[in-house]
Amino acid sequence: MIRALVTGATGFIGSSVARVLLQKGCQVRVLVRPDSDERAIAGLDVQRMVGDLRHIDSLHAAVQGCDQVYHVAALYTYWTRNPAEIYATNVVGTRNMLIAARQAKVPRFVYTSSVAVLGLHENDSPADEETPATLFDMISDYKRSKYLAEALAREFASRSFNVVIVNPSTPVGPRDVKPTPTGQIVLDYLTGRMPAYVDTGLNLVDVEDVALGHWLAAQKGVSGRRYILGNCNLTLQEIFQLLEQISGRPAPRMRLPHSAAMLYAYFDSGLARLLPNHAPRATPDTVRLSKKHMYFDASRAVKELGFPQNDIRIALRKAVNWFRSEYALNA
């Protein structure tokens, strides 16, 4: 029986990874903090290991005796009052996990990166794993932290540690407890807090397919190689049109200019700095990101791993149903 550790299992992608591993017959450990919100893994037959990515001494027991480590954990946010927290979790935490796993001689390490670290084409055509990008290209502390963390994973792979890298695009689906920025868009749509849209584009993928992609990468992936776990390229307007079909709620018809969105983002972010309990719905970084259509090509993962390309409407429907149940929203 394969013994696997999942970090970030209380989060959106990680909870689905833990479920896939259990379905595959693995013995699953999950790394949790003492104060972790464990709703996403409630009822799962997993061994809980208490630790903190920022403190390497707390990680050794968790990785000991493991055949596979899935390092999914990350602080995924475009807003924080203390950017150092993002780097401590995403960069230092990744370095600590890599060191602990290598010292424990773990045979296979899957690192969850992001398409956020990849370059984009000027003509909005889909980018792939080889589309170049530099640290200078990274907009936001989140993207910079993931870029630096992935560089660490590649460095360890170059030093003969078996590390395969997966780059999920924009996952949607159930158990988005926090929720993620993407899940927040779906939730805001369902609660009528999305009166307009901007001209942008995303690559959507079912979070449960992303989880399966992690397992496939562990079985078939080449060490040091990236695999985009993505599916369907859609404009934000097209995403809202699908949500309208699924939910019955009308999609916003007004397109907001990026200049107006930027003014709102500066106002909302400024308000968040004054009010300790207010989190901005938009930040200058998210508006800058929205000026690009973030389209990606998952052909490598499809060809080399057998990564599925299921109808994205299924994932959106699961997300809608989950949010409606979780937040007691009227259909």
Side-chain angles (χ1 to χ4, degrees):
M1 178 182 292
I2 293 175
R3 293 163 294 182
L5 171 70
V6 182
T7 72
T10 59
F12 185 36
I13 294 177
S15 62
S16 286
V17 171
R19 282 174 167 78
V20 164
L21 295 176
L22 289 170
Q23 291 166 8
K24 298 297 182 181
C26 298
Q27 184 182 81
V28 180
R29 296 177 183 173
V30 298
L31 185 73
V32 297
R33 297 186 307 274
D35 60 346
S36 291
D37 179 349
E38 297 189 14
R39 283 179 293 163
I41 56 170
L44 295 188
D45 183 17
V46 295
Q47 180 184 7
R48 288 160 173 78
M49 307 294 291
V50 178
D52 188 319
L53 293 174
R54 299 168 297 181
H55 306 296
I56 192 169
D57 290 344
S58 72
L59 305 178
H60 295 299
V63 298
Q64 199 62 42
C66 286
D67 303 299
Q68 299 173 350
V69 167
Y70 295 83
H71 179 42
V72 187
L75 184 51
Y76 177 25
T77 181
Y78 289 104
W79 163 254
T80 178
R81 289 177 173 81
N82 182 12
E85 295 176 351
I86 295 178
Y87 294 93
T89 298
N90 296 354
V91 183
V92 177
T94 296
R95 180 188 291 113
N96 288 343
M97 279 304 309
L98 286 162
I99 291 172
R102 185 175 62 182
Q103 289 179 349
K105 296 182 170 55
V106 174
R108 190 64 146 168
F109 190 105
V110 178
Y111 170 63
T112 308
S113 184
S114 168
V115 293
V117 308
L118 304 177
L120 295 170
H121 295 306
E122 289 297 327
N123 64 359
D124 291 335
S125 62
D128 62 20
E129 291 86 350
E130 304 306 322
T131 305
T134 67
L135 184 60
F136 179 78
D137 298 322
M138 300 294 106
I139 298 172
S140 79
D141 290 301
Y142 170 71
K143 290 189 66 167
R144 284 187 286 272
S145 71
K146 293 297 286 184
Y147 184 94
L148 294 169
E150 192 195 274
L152 287 170
R154 291 199 307 273
E155 177 188 342
F156 273 69
S158 72
R159 288 154 46 191
S160 301
F161 186 48
N162 197 330
V163 183
V164 62
I165 299 164
V166 292
N167 301 75
S169 58
T170 309
V172 291
R175 294 180 299 277
D176 195 350
V177 171
K178 192 175 179 180
T180 61
T182 311
Q184 190 66 53
I185 291 174
V186 177
L187 180 58
D188 285 347
Y189 181 92
L190 294 173
T191 54
R193 299 181 65 202
M194 194 64 66
Y197 64 92
V198 294
D199 179 19
T200 191
L202 299 170
N203 181 287
L204 293 192
V205 62
D206 190 325
V207 70
E208 292 172 340
D209 289 345
V210 168
L212 179 59
H214 281 67
W215 166 258
L216 294 171
Q219 310 314 305
K220 304 177 183 180
V222 176
S223 182
R225 195 158 168 84
R226 285 169 165 167
Y227 296 92
I228 292 173
L229 304 182
N231 187 342
C232 191
N233 293 309
L234 296 164
T235 66
L236 185 56
Q237 183 184 22
E238 289 170 336
I239 293 169
F240 287 152
Q241 288 168 347
L242 290 177
L243 286 172
E244 180 178 61
Q245 295 170 18
I246 292 165
S247 71
R249 292 192 63 95
R253 301 291 191 259
M254 181 175 67
R255 190 173 81 176
L256 192 67
H258 284 98
S259 57
M262 185 63 80
L263 285 174
Y264 172 79
Y266 274 114
F267 170 79
D268 207 22
S269 297
L271 194 63
R273 296 195 179 281
L274 295 174
L275 303 177
N277 295 322
H278 178 73
R281 294 177 63 201
T283 69
D285 280 342
T286 59
V287 176
R288 292 186 188 101
L289 287 168
S290 73
K291 292 181 179 180
K292 287 280 191 178
H293 285 217
M294 290 165 276
Y295 291 161
F296 297 94
D297 180 354
S299 297
R300 176 185 290 178
V302 172
K303 180 179 179 181
E304 297 185 17
L305 307 181
F307 182 64
Q309 297 288 280
N310 292 315
D311 189 338
I312 198 61
R313 289 173 294 187
I314 297 171
L316 286 170
R317 186 172 292 109
K318 286 186 287 188
V320 166
N321 291 341
W322 186 84
F323 278 118
R324 279 179 165 165
S325 173
E326 184 73 8
Y327 290 84
L329 303 176
N330 293 327

